[in-house]
Amino acid sequence: MKFNSTSRLSMQVILLFIISSALAQKSNNRPNFIFILTDDQRFELLGANGNQIIQTPNLDQLAKEGVLFTNAHVTSAICTPSRVSILLSQFERKHGVNFNSGTAVSKEAWKQSYPVIMRENGYYTGYIGKNHSPIGEGGYSSGVMEKSFDYWYGAHGHLFFYPKEKHKIFNGAQNDTQAEILNEGINDFFSNEFKLKGAEHFLKNRPVNQPFCLNINFNLPHGAATSRMEQRESDSTIYKTLYRDIDIPLPTHYIAKKDIKTQKLPEDLLFTEARQLGYDFTYTPETMKERKLRHMQAVTGIDALVGRLRAKLEQQGLAKNTIIVFTSDHGLFWGEFGMAGKAMCYEVCTRVPFIVYNPMAPKKAREKVSNALVQTIDVAPTLLDYAGIQMPEHFQGKSIRKIIDGQSSDVHAYLYTENLWSNTFGNPRCEAVQNKIWKYIRYYRNDNMKSNEIMEMTEFLGINRMEMLYKIYLPEVAKYRAYIENPLRGEQPVFEELYNLSEDPDEITNLAFDKNHAIQIKHMREIWKEKIKYARGNESPKVVLKN
């Protein structure tokens, strides 16, 4: 049989149709993803995690229908490194970005982030809310982050409780409060009409046959937002009256500042008097209760958004093919043992709520609670696994798909966490390894100048306080790199802790100096040595100077 040019053209058209149909079918078969990240949400701020006061019916239902992880942890308990770790699936010791690093993620490294990878593999991507990850030359001012998504309705840094007062992009929203404004962005993303003034989109329409990955990032219940709640007339009743008719209990082991007699850590290690003033709400029972109430109100507002989101998915026929992941970037101290703030390697800082809802998983695999050790750097590998996309070799997390689908009970034997944000606010460098029973923490010498001493000097000399406290100069970039490398070069800890989490989940009794546990601490040191090497990796950091 002979083919003329017309016949060949017809065959080519047919082949192209078959290929495009196959790609469309593959695209339709791939799941959609919604990743929800809250800010400073402690593990206990969720009804499903045993809180009898907080009202989170929608998140509780999501947990009931999916998998509720009760032993999930972050890698660094501070906003920026934690969020970069999630995006790149890397420990901070490898990606090298924090508030005191003076660096931003390079374009080369950013290409290996899960949002970019998913977009390049046929996913329509969206970003709504807070970005606290500096990307590209200049960091937040580079424009790289915004251009990395098909739909953008976000802002850099804190959104505060009333985002319009801080960021122009939100001025077109009808609402004034953060969760409600982000919900407008969600509605705009799914409407495919893009009528929300301020939102940026790079396609005229969201293709209905293209799978999507939507990232929703809150600046709640972070104190930068909850401290600014004003109970305005336009606020939802959630933020005006909810929980105000009950006596809010203080956190277990709470100690007011005036009542601190013995510090949990040595004074030359953790500078108590140098803590950030943003955590002074922990000083008295009254201010602590008020802030706890506001955090609960904020989480209930987030919960209402989750309810509306799930209703929207049902309305659009997307509910049966959309995987939802919900977690937080870290927790924080609420005055336990007289301590405040985050960054440390204790459970209240590193342990977070974590829910994965996969409507396509077998029913027997859903509706369960898992105590498997998981970490937020596992999010990216898991999403790519479900999407059928090969995981980059630079990822350090693991896919937890087999746990979600009921095919496995564990993927990690030990977890590693770290704090490299050692600064004038008193935080010491520390690293921890843990399994389901034991946790080992090691600390290094704190040679920072104290923030209260710096503030005295700035007042005396008339220098801008915020610049002195927060601006990073080149010598400090080198100091941060030393923080990363020195423990691998033999720097010894100045203090150690060992806790039996099965018997002492609140980390009250330090067993590091108990001779009966000498074998156990020796074993945990060996695990630490293995884990810190893995966390550091063998490559030079792929970073650029932020300023």
Side-chain angles (χ1 to χ4, degrees):
M1 182 182 292
K2 294 183 178 180
F3 292 92
N4 57 31
S5 59
T6 304
S7 300
R8 289 193 185 95
L9 181 60
S10 298
M11 287 299 295
Q12 289 173 351
V13 171
I14 292 170
L15 284 171
L16 285 172
F17 175 78
I18 292 172
I19 292 170
S20 62
S21 297
L23 288 173
Q25 185 65 30
K26 179 184 177 182
S27 181
N28 287 330
N29 288 337
R30 289 195 289 175
N32 304 306
F33 299 100
I34 297 177
F35 176 58
I36 305 171
L37 185 68
T38 61
D39 198 344
D40 281 26
Q41 184 179 355
R42 287 167 49 121
F43 175 83
E44 69 181 66
L45 286 179
L46 189 67
N49 284 340
N51 192 317
Q52 299 296 312
I53 299 176
I54 197 167
Q55 297 178 28
T56 52
N58 297 294
L59 286 167
D60 296 346
Q61 187 64 30
L62 191 72
K64 183 179 179 181
E65 295 175 7
V67 180
L68 174 66
F69 289 91
T70 58
N71 211 349
H73 294 258
V74 299
T75 52
S76 299
I78 188 72
C79 302
T80 287
S82 179
R83 289 169 183 249
V84 173
S85 290
I86 292 170
L87 291 163
L88 300 183
S89 187
Q90 293 178 358
F91 291 96
E92 179 190 344
R93 199 167 291 267
K94 182 170 184 175
H95 67 63
V97 177
N98 202 327
F99 294 120
N100 59 324
S101 68
T103 55
V105 177
S106 69
K107 284 186 177 181
E108 179 188 1
W110 181 240
K111 288 179 181 178
Q112 295 297 303
S113 67
Y114 83 80
V116 173
I117 292 171
M118 296 191 81
R119 190 183 190 191
E120 291 179 346
N121 282 270
Y123 271 80
Y124 182 87
T125 58
Y127 194 102
I128 295 172
K130 170 185 174 178
N131 171 48
H132 223 160
S133 303
I135 312 295
E137 295 280 354
Y140 300 115
S141 63
S142 71
V144 173
M145 191 69 167
E146 295 94 317
K147 295 174 184 176
S148 298
F149 295 87
D150 296 303
Y151 180 91
W152 174 268
Y153 192 56
H156 306 297
H158 291 302
L159 306 189
F160 300 129
F161 195 68
Y162 304 101
K164 293 177 181 178
E165 297 177 358
K166 179 71 174 178
H167 302 285
K168 291 181 180 180
I169 192 171
F170 301 119
N171 286 348
Q174 295 181 354
N175 291 278
D176 296 322
T177 47
Q178 184 184 144
E180 288 63 36
I181 287 177
L182 299 198
N183 187 73
E184 290 187 49
I186 293 170
N187 290 336
D188 191 49
F189 177 85
F190 285 113
S191 72
N192 214 8
E193 296 177 0
F194 302 146
K195 293 182 178 179
L196 185 58
K197 185 180 178 181
E200 300 176 19
H201 44 89
F202 301 93
L203 290 175
K204 188 175 182 180
N205 296 104
R206 175 173 63 84
V208 294
N209 64 341
Q210 186 176 0
F212 65 82
C213 178
L214 175 61
N215 301 269
I216 305 168
N217 292 262
F218 287 93
N219 186 205
L220 291 170
H222 193 293
T226 53
S227 64
R228 290 169 167 80
M229 297 170 76
E230 297 177 355
Q231 299 181 32
R232 297 179 182 177
E233 184 65 30
S234 59
D235 290 0
S236 162
T237 55
I238 291 173
Y239 311 126
K240 290 189 287 190
T241 59
L242 189 61
Y243 307 121
R244 293 197 174 277
D245 60 341
I246 59 176
D247 182 26
I248 303 297
L250 287 167
T252 306
H253 311 301
Y254 171 82
I255 301 176
K257 183 179 179 181
K258 67 179 180 61
D259 297 326
I260 299 174
K261 294 181 174 61
T262 303
Q263 295 191 163
K264 187 169 179 59
L265 290 172
E267 173 58 32
D268 62 352
L269 195 62
L270 178 66
F271 305 156
T272 303
E273 293 301 318
R275 69 177 54 156
Q276 287 174 286
L277 292 178
Y279 301 118
D280 60 1
F281 63 85
T282 63
Y283 291 174
T284 70
E286 295 75 23
T287 52
M288 181 61 250
K289 288 183 178 182
E290 173 64 25
R291 184 59 60 85
K292 183 178 179 180
L293 182 149
R294 293 185 182 198
H295 276 223
M296 291 195 300
Q297 288 179 332
V299 173
T300 297
I302 293 169
D303 181 81
L305 177 147
V306 171
R308 291 190 287 267
L309 171 62
R310 296 195 71 187
K312 177 67 69 174
L313 293 174
E314 288 285 354
Q315 177 189 349
Q316 302 227 342
L318 298 167
K320 294 181 180 179
N321 192 37
T322 300
I323 296 172
I324 302 174
V325 180
F326 176 91
T327 190
S328 186
D329 59 359
H330 53 77
L332 73 165
F333 272 103
W334 273 352
E336 290 92 343
F337 314 111
M339 298 176 73
K342 43 210 160 192
M344 307 295 284
C345 291
Y346 293 114
E347 294 286 288
V348 293
C349 297
T350 69
R351 191 179 177 210
V352 289
F354 198 102
I355 302 168
V356 181
Y357 170 67
N358 176 15
M360 295 158 285
K363 189 170 183 180
K364 63 180 181 180
R366 292 184 280 133
E367 301 181 7
K368 71 177 183 181
V369 176
S370 171
N371 73 336
L373 291 168
V374 297
Q375 217 156 11
T376 47
I377 56 170
D378 297 332
V379 170
T382 304
L383 300 188
L384 295 192
D385 190 354
Y386 276 116
I389 302 170
Q390 185 175 356
M391 186 177 81
E393 60 181 18
H394 302 294
F395 277 18
Q396 292 180 304
K398 294 183 178 181
S399 171
I400 58 173
R401 177 177 181 173
K402 288 186 177 180
I403 300 177
I404 300 163
D405 291 348
Q407 300 169 4
S408 176
S409 57
D410 288 288
V411 296
H412 296 286
Y414 291 89
L415 296 182
Y416 170 84
T417 56
E418 60 190 359
N419 174 50
L420 295 167
W421 192 50
S422 183
N423 51 42
T424 61
F425 299 115
N427 299 313
R429 287 177 291 145
C430 56
E431 299 137 6
V433 288
Q434 68 187 93
N435 60 16
K436 293 181 181 179
I437 299 176
W438 295 99
K439 175 186 274 189
Y440 165 65
I441 312 175
R442 57 196 281 135
Y443 298 86
Y444 301 94
R445 183 169 60 92
N446 192 344
D447 57 359
N448 290 293
M449 190 173 183
K450 298 177 182 179
S451 61
N452 51 324
E453 296 172 343
I454 290 176
M455 286 190 284
E456 290 176 5
M457 181 189 68
T458 56
E459 290 181 8
F460 178 74
L461 297 174
I463 302 171
N464 182 280
R465 177 192 297 182
M466 296 301 289
E467 182 169 325
M468 285 294 291
L469 288 176
Y470 289 99
K471 189 168 183 178
I472 301 300
Y473 298 91
L474 284 177
E476 288 155 296
V477 176
K479 185 178 182 179
Y480 173 81
R481 293 308 310 173
Y483 286 169
I484 288 176
E485 307 297 351
N486 284 352
L488 293 154
R489 294 169 177 163
E491 182 181 9
Q492 295 300 304
V494 296
F495 191 73
E496 295 173 294
E497 292 177 303
L498 179 70
Y499 295 104
N500 186 327
L501 296 176
S502 62
E503 298 177 358
D504 181 19
D506 296 334
E507 299 168 306
I508 300 171
T509 305
N510 181 13
L511 302 172
F513 307 105
D514 187 334
K515 293 180 180 179
N516 294 324
H517 296 91
I519 294 176
Q520 184 61 46
I521 197 169
K522 181 180 179 181
H523 171 69
M524 297 301 278
R525 287 175 186 145
E526 290 300 315
I527 298 297
W528 162 83
K529 188 182 298 183
E530 171 192 330
K531 292 295 183 181
I532 192 174
K533 287 180 180 177
Y534 178 73
R536 172 59 184 88
N538 299 317
E539 301 173 313
S540 298
K542 292 182 171 61
V543 295
V544 292
L545 290 178
K546 188 165 63 173
N547 297 313

